[in-house]
Amino acid sequence: MDIQQVEQHGVDGLIANQRKVGMLTHPEVRSLPSVIDTSDFHCVETWSVLDCAWEGVRLSDIADLVSPTGGARFVTIGCDGGYTTSLPLADLLQPYVLLAWGLDGQPLKPEYGFPLRLVVPHKYAYKSAKWVRRVHFTCEEEIGYWEARGYSNTADPWRQDRLS
Ligand SMILES: Nc1nc2c(c(=O)[nH]1)N[C@H]1C(S)=C(S)[C@@H](COP(=O)(O)O)O[C@H]1N2
Ligand SMILES: [Mo]
């Protein structure tokens, strides 16, 4: 993926509802139904933060709006600054996976990812991308920033899947 693609805003790729392309502005996401989900956060370098109350929109609600096509099996998340990560679509559709703007009853601090942060509690924290600008649906997985540098792509903290 080149920088120009990473810097592009919005939801795109293999989606049926092309009217929703570019929907990922903060006001638009804020107008969707929101939830609060409390989860633990596991960094691959062994620290964890317990009981984070994230507030935001379910990725599954965004997927419902844009209707991924049958060929869409992965999602690449692009961030301000060029950071990327990717996940199987099935992982992103879990109800506790959010695009969050709040944490513990406060707006998310900029250093923690405001205006939008992906929260994937069942994966190591490098999948929880900060400053999200782009949600890109793909047929083949595009390997993310840390995953390309030796961290596990499955990133399952329960199996301590740290390295690839
Ligand atoms: N955009 C972006 N998101 C990112 C990262 C990054 O470098 N850039 N680092 C990841 C890693 S490795 C970790 S451990 C967490 C750290 O989250 P925190 O700053 O909220 O503690 O953010 C993840 N999300
Ligand atoms: Mo990390």
Side-chain angles (χ1 to χ4, degrees), residues 90-142:
D91 279 301
L92 279 189
L93 296 182
Q94 297 300 318
Y96 38 75
V97 173
L98 306 183
L99 269 183
W101 60 78
L103 175 60
D104 296 332
Q106 303 289 326
L108 200 54
K109 293 197 175 116
E111 63 266 39
Y112 295 139
F114 193 87
L116 288 175
R117 177 185 199 146
L118 183 70
V119 177
V120 189
H122 64 301
K123 298 287 177 181
Y124 279 127
Y126 52 88
K127 299 283 186 184
S128 290
K130 305 188 270 191
W131 317 296
V132 171
R133 296 167 65 122
R134 185 180 191 215
V135 177
H136 181 58
F137 292 83
T138 64
C139 55
E140 292 192 29
E141 187 158 31
E142 300 176 331

Side-chain angles (χ1 to χ4, degrees), residues 41 43-44 47 54 79-80 83 111-112 117 125-131 146:
F41 195 71
C43 175
V44 69
W47 52 267
W54 299 103
C79 305
D80 259 343
Y83 186 83
E111 63 266 39
Y112 295 139
R117 177 185 199 146
Y126 52 88
K127 299 283 186 184
S128 290
K130 305 188 270 191
W131 317 296
W146 277 122

Side-chain angles (χ1 to χ4, degrees), residues 29-133:
V29 174
R30 286 300 288 260
S31 72
L32 300 173
S34 65
V35 296
I36 294 178
D37 185 83
T38 299
S39 57
D40 300 338
F41 195 71
H42 306 282
C43 175
V44 69
E45 301 295 345
T46 70
W47 52 267
S48 295
V49 184
L50 304 183
D51 293 326
C52 302
W54 299 103
E55 180 169 12
V57 171
R58 289 196 169 111
L59 255 293
S60 62
D61 285 342
I62 292 186
D64 283 347
L65 276 178
V66 302
S67 304
T69 63
R73 293 180 47 234
F74 297 94
V75 177
T76 306
I77 304 293
C79 305
D80 259 343
Y83 186 83
T84 58
T85 191
S86 62
L87 286 149
L89 179 57
D91 279 301
L92 279 189
L93 296 182
Q94 297 300 318
Y96 38 75
V97 173
L98 306 183
L99 269 183
W101 60 78
L103 175 60
D104 296 332
Q106 303 289 326
L108 200 54
K109 293 197 175 116
E111 63 266 39
Y112 295 139
F114 193 87
L116 288 175
R117 177 185 199 146
L118 183 70
V119 177
V120 189
H122 64 301
K123 298 287 177 181
Y124 279 127
Y126 52 88
K127 299 283 186 184
S128 290
K130 305 188 270 191
W131 317 296
V132 171
R133 296 167 65 122

